[in-house]
Amino acid sequence: MEFNSLTAVSPVDGRYARQTEPLREYFSEYALIRYRVRVEIEYFIALCSIPLPQLADFDSGKFEALRDIYRNMTAEDAAKVKEIEKVTNHDVKAVEYYIKDRFKEMDILKWGEFVHFGLTSQDINNTSVPLSFKEAMEEVYLPLLQEVLDTITSFAEQWKDIPMLAKTHGQPASPTRMGKEFKVFQVRIEEQLRQLSALTYPAKFGGATGNMNAHKVAYPSIDWIGFGNSFVDSLGLKRSFPTTQIEHYDNLASLFDNIRRINTILIDLSRDIWTYISMEYFRQKVNKNEVGSSAMPHKVNPIDFENAEGNLGIADAILTHLSMKLPISRLQRDLTDSTVLRNIGMPLAHGIIALNSLKKGLGKLILNEDAIRMDLERNWAVVAEAIQTVLRRENYPNPYETLKALTRTGKGITTRPSLNSSIILKLQKT
């Protein structure tokens, strides 16, 4: 069966392919190969820049041509790597051989053995994957999240003076303001983004068991620890040290957990807005061509917020597994991280679907001030908190009990409550 959006197994590459397409540059098999080639090339250039004695005569004017190998890499080029992999049965070794083939084309194969010099596969994988994750976050995910945050922030300002009935435990409670409730979500997200900005994207770069053994044997006078730190830093990552054969993933797990907290806040927002729509505090802009229900023509369902909630939940489930599984590896390394790490783009894909839904849903909201005002008018009992607090200040006897008897009649209070003369006297003094 031909692969396309209709035959894809995952909705990320099927139904929602148009939304998640930007992530293909970071998390597809093609992208992983391109990032691996990038790390290998940049590593070779870094060795030339030490310089190693055998690389001292390498023409630095060719560095940009080397970088073009990954900068101009196509899906057809990646397919060549996969063909080599069929022979090697090893994905990273296939990348090494592909680069050597390109060196041969450039007539620089005499330096080819310094491609992948002293490295193990995980030096490439545990640098390529966090680099792709970092750039996907910075270039795709966070800008979209910022758009949603900007809308929330604008609502907080736009509706800052709109009074509304609060609901605690689903029951009428002391009044609040619509803008303030959006401000709560704004501040919560901003705090998580502040914490996220303080986190670093980690990489492992240290040879077969993390000790730079082969490097040290070959060139004992070079500070390979300092070299590794500097090289990883040049990629915008932070080198983890010491490590085993693989990255210990603790800091990557911190990133996952932080994103999960942001998602949880957005689930909370989605559910609140869904509820406000059901209370008619919000109406939704209508597209005359859309169908809300296959049976009930009148319905305009809050599907954007439901879609966001569902996809954020899936993203959180994957992020939870990633952050709990990846830091665990038997002794110096087992292979369980390899297949799991290939799913690192999935929570961002579901997150992007959710953010697009939130962006669309928030853009359809119309504040229904009449419904908000009517709800306040139906619930005068909520002023009891303020009244009993003032009476406490005035030392009125048993103010809480007095207001409790006045307001908990079981009939509700839909007009201004009648107070006895002694209470009115006390209130007038304030």
Side-chain angles (χ1 to χ4, degrees):
M1 184 180 291
E2 181 184 353
F3 175 81
N4 55 45
S5 61
L6 292 176
T7 60
V9 173
S10 168
V12 163
D13 291 317
R15 181 178 180 86
Y16 303 114
R18 182 179 55 81
Q19 296 187 51
T20 61
E21 183 177 2
L23 292 180
R24 295 177 189 172
E25 290 292 322
Y26 308 92
F27 299 119
S28 62
E29 185 73 2
Y30 152 75
L32 178 58
I33 292 171
R34 182 166 51 83
Y35 272 98
R36 284 168 169 165
V37 172
R38 175 177 169 184
V39 173
E40 292 276 18
I41 293 292
E42 291 298 336
Y43 173 64
F44 178 85
I45 291 173
L47 291 178
C48 291
S49 302
I50 293 177
L52 293 184
Q54 287 80 0
L55 294 173
D57 60 341
F58 187 86
D59 182 5
S60 62
K62 295 183 182 296
F63 286 173
E64 291 308 306
L66 287 175
R67 290 186 169 108
D68 283 341
I69 294 176
Y70 68 80
R71 286 192 295 220
N72 299 331
M73 193 169 195
T74 65
E76 290 72 23
D77 293 326
K80 294 177 183 177
V81 177
K82 298 301 290 185
E83 286 300 313
I84 298 172
E85 186 183 340
K86 290 178 181 179
V87 178
T88 62
N89 196 30
H90 195 288
D91 49 5
V92 176
K93 200 66 178 176
V95 166
E96 177 188 343
Y97 289 167
Y98 169 79
I99 294 173
K100 287 180 177 178
D101 286 344
R102 298 301 303 270
F103 271 39
K104 184 177 181 179
E105 294 172 7
M106 298 171 67
D107 198 24
I108 55 174
L109 188 57
K110 63 177 284 189
W111 294 282
E113 289 309 315
F114 287 91
V115 176
H116 202 71
F117 177 79
L119 301 183
T120 187
S121 299
Q122 290 309 101
D123 295 316
I124 303 303
N125 289 332
N126 287 164
T127 305
S128 300
V129 172
L131 182 57
S132 68
F133 188 71
K134 177 178 185 287
E135 293 183 346
M137 285 287 291
E138 293 174 347
E139 297 168 13
V140 181
Y141 188 84
L142 289 176
L144 184 55
L145 175 60
Q146 187 62 52
E147 289 184 43
V148 172
L149 177 58
D150 288 344
T151 301
I152 294 170
T153 302
S154 69
F155 286 165
E157 175 63 25
Q158 182 180 340
W159 298 326
K160 64 181 180 180
D161 297 322
I162 303 296
M164 74 174 204
L165 188 68
K167 295 289 181 73
T168 58
H169 307 279
Q171 306 300 310
S174 297
T176 183
R177 285 166 287 118
M178 180 63 78
K180 174 259 176 180
E181 298 307 316
F182 274 88
K183 188 75 173 180
V184 169
F185 288 106
Q186 173 196 336
V187 171
R188 290 174 68 187
I189 296 170
E190 287 175 342
E191 172 58 22
Q192 292 307 312
L193 287 174
R194 184 192 66 77
Q195 294 182 30
L196 185 64
S197 68
L199 296 175
T200 55
Y201 291 79
K204 177 266 176 181
F205 207 86
T209 56
N211 307 316
M212 290 283 198
N213 296 19
H215 293 79
K216 187 69 174 176
V217 168
Y219 297 97
S221 63
I222 293 177
D223 176 14
W224 288 109
I225 302 301
F227 169 85
N229 292 339
S230 177
F231 171 66
V232 170
D233 183 68
S234 72
L235 297 173
L237 306 174
K238 184 175 185 350
R239 182 169 176 255
S240 298
F241 182 81
T243 66
T244 61
Q245 186 179 95
I246 65 173
E247 162 65 26
H248 45 62
Y249 298 117
D250 298 332
N251 292 334
L252 200 59
S254 296
L255 289 163
F256 297 151
D257 291 339
N258 195 292
I259 297 168
R260 192 174 74 237
R261 290 196 298 273
I262 293 173
N263 288 349
T264 300
I265 294 168
L266 294 175
I267 289 174
D268 198 20
L269 171 70
S270 298
R271 290 180 178 178
D272 274 12
I273 296 179
W274 186 97
T275 305
Y276 289 139
I277 291 172
S278 73
M279 294 160 55
E280 298 187 349
Y281 281 18
F282 288 114
R283 294 193 181 100
Q284 298 179 91
K285 294 176 184 176
V286 177
N287 183 334
K288 66 178 182 179
N289 296 317
E290 290 182 354
V291 175
S293 166
S294 63
M296 294 173 280
H298 69 284
K299 296 192 73 178
V300 183
N301 296 329
I303 56 173
D304 299 307
F305 300 102
E306 293 168 341
N307 181 286
E309 180 182 342
N311 276 284
L312 289 166
I314 295 174
D316 280 359
I318 300 172
L319 288 166
T320 298
H321 180 67
L322 290 171
S323 67
M324 292 180 69
K325 187 275 152 291
L326 287 174
I328 300 172
S329 183
R330 296 169 182 86
L331 302 181
Q332 282 66 55
R333 174 303 126 96
D334 67 38
L335 202 62
T336 55
D337 66 312
S338 180
T339 188
V340 172
L341 204 60
R342 286 178 175 273
N343 291 279
I344 197 172
M346 292 299 291
L348 292 194
H350 285 285
I352 283 175
I353 296 167
L355 289 170
N356 279 323
S357 291
L358 277 174
K359 182 179 172 182
K360 182 179 178 182
L362 290 169
K364 290 160 60 175
L365 293 181
I366 302 172
L367 189 67
N368 186 358
E369 292 190 57
D370 289 340
I372 294 172
R373 194 177 302 111
M374 287 174 59
D375 212 6
L376 278 169
E377 287 293 335
R378 286 194 298 264
N379 290 279
W380 275 94
V382 298
V383 303
E385 180 197 17
I387 295 173
Q388 65 96 8
T389 302
V390 171
L391 293 178
R392 283 175 186 268
R393 186 193 69 189
E394 298 300 321
N395 204 29
Y396 184 86
N398 302 317
Y400 178 88
E401 290 72 19
T402 301
L403 269 296
K404 176 182 174 182
L406 178 67
T407 58
R408 293 177 65 175
T409 62
K411 300 178 181 178
I413 298 177
T414 57
T415 57
R416 294 175 185 268
S418 300
L419 304 176
N420 65 43
S421 57
S422 61
I423 294 178
I424 292 173
L425 183 61
K426 289 287 185 182
L427 290 174
Q428 286 176 341
K429 291 180 178 180
T430 68

